[in-house]
Amino acid sequence: GESITLERYQSELARYQAAVGTQLATEDERRVIADMIDQLLLAQGAAEAGYQVDAAAVQARLDQLAAQLGSDQALLDWMATHGYTPETFREDLARSIAAAWMRDQIAASVPAVAEQVHVRQILLYNSEEATRVLADVSSGKDFAALAAQYDPVAKGDLGWFPRGYLTDQKLDAAAFSLQPGEISQTIETKIGFHILQVIERDPARPLDPNARLTLQMQALEKWLMEHRAISDIQI
């Protein structure tokens, strides 16, 4: 039952165009409406979870912005320049506070520890060479030495990572199907032919900040996808 008016959408488009400094493409326009819908869904999720943005929180944020700009009048001038009225800015601010709260809850739901594997790979760029190298390691040639030969800098070491961290699902599935010391078959992806070796596994290893951030972003995308699917969204 909540709406995003055409006027609000056009104002947001104008602000986006002012920020990027170029004529907007159709993809930019789609991105703006998608972002506005996502923010509304997150704010609705916050309300469903029992979170309410009170007037004091909004006023505190307004006071902070006014202080940053130098005065209340400077904030009013900024609003006018960017296509806001005091009422629409207050409404958008309350919605953004609620959406940010919901994003924080989704991020916090991602645990700090997870099952992880430590993987080494050999990456090749044609199937014939990949077949030959796989035959070599299958016959007993040292995987680490071969990996270092093809990757002198990192020596093929992908480090530790949790399920879902790798962008290619085939690589992710292959890595977690192996036990320490085991070697995968050749896995073809967009960038080449991979042969993986699991060095270690840990059922509950602390996530490094980059891995946890990746999982948090995935959790947010999953939440939004699910809530878009169950919502009646008409444009």
Side-chain angles (χ1 to χ4, degrees):
E2 294 188 75
S3 65
I4 298 168
T5 65
L6 179 61
E7 181 182 9
R8 290 284 186 90
Y9 169 61
Q10 290 172 335
S11 295
E12 191 65 23
L13 277 179
R15 286 187 286 272
Y16 186 87
Q17 183 167 344
V20 300
T22 59
Q23 187 66 34
L24 297 184
T26 301
E27 186 58 35
D28 293 318
E29 295 174 348
R30 290 174 179 162
R31 183 179 298 112
V32 168
I33 190 64
D35 287 347
M36 295 179 80
I37 290 170
D38 286 347
Q39 187 178 70
L40 179 52
L41 288 172
L42 287 163
Q44 289 178 342
E48 291 169 6
Y51 178 77
Q52 297 294 329
V53 183
D54 58 33
V58 175
Q59 188 58 53
R61 181 63 177 141
L62 287 169
D63 292 342
Q64 181 184 21
L65 291 170
Q68 290 174 354
L69 291 171
S71 68
D72 290 340
Q73 186 58 51
L75 177 57
L76 289 172
D77 293 342
W78 181 92
M79 291 180 195
T81 300
H82 290 83
Y84 287 112
T85 67
E87 293 74 21
T88 60
F89 187 71
R90 185 179 288 269
E91 290 170 5
D92 282 4
L93 187 57
R95 182 174 290 174
S96 70
I97 291 171
W101 182 89
M102 192 67 226
R103 280 194 298 270
D104 289 345
Q105 303 311 299
I106 296 167
S109 71
V110 174
V113 299
E115 180 187 14
Q116 296 185 63
V117 288
H118 181 195
V119 175
R120 182 186 288 123
Q121 79 163 352
I122 301 172
L123 175 60
L124 305 140
Y125 298 102
N126 67 74
S127 60
E128 293 79 11
E129 188 174 20
T131 300
R132 179 178 58 77
V133 171
L134 181 60
D136 287 343
V137 297
S138 298
S139 66
K141 286 196 175 181
D142 185 66
F143 192 100
L146 282 168
Q149 177 183 330
Y150 286 96
D151 179 10
V153 177
K155 297 178 172 53
D157 194 343
L158 300 180
W160 287 90
F161 55 84
R163 291 182 187 272
Y165 181 74
L166 298 182
T167 55
D168 192 289
Q169 293 182 352
K170 291 185 293 184
L171 285 177
D172 193 78
F176 280 90
S177 71
L178 302 172
Q179 294 303 316
E182 291 183 340
I183 295 168
S184 73
Q185 296 298 308
T186 302
I187 306 153
E188 183 179 358
T189 71
K190 292 179 180 178
I191 64 171
F193 299 85
H194 309 251
I195 304 171
L196 305 181
Q197 180 190 50
V198 168
I199 304 169
E200 305 171 81
R201 288 184 76 121
D202 189 332
R205 181 180 176 85
L207 291 164
D208 71 39
N210 285 337
R212 189 161 190 236
L213 179 60
T214 296
L215 296 187
Q216 288 172 332
M217 293 173 65
Q218 290 175 352
L220 175 60
E221 291 170 2
K222 180 182 178 183
W223 189 97
L224 287 167
M225 183 174 65
E226 290 173 348
H227 282 72
R228 277 177 171 267
I230 63 174
S231 300
D232 177 20
I233 301 173
Q234 300 178 25
I235 301 176

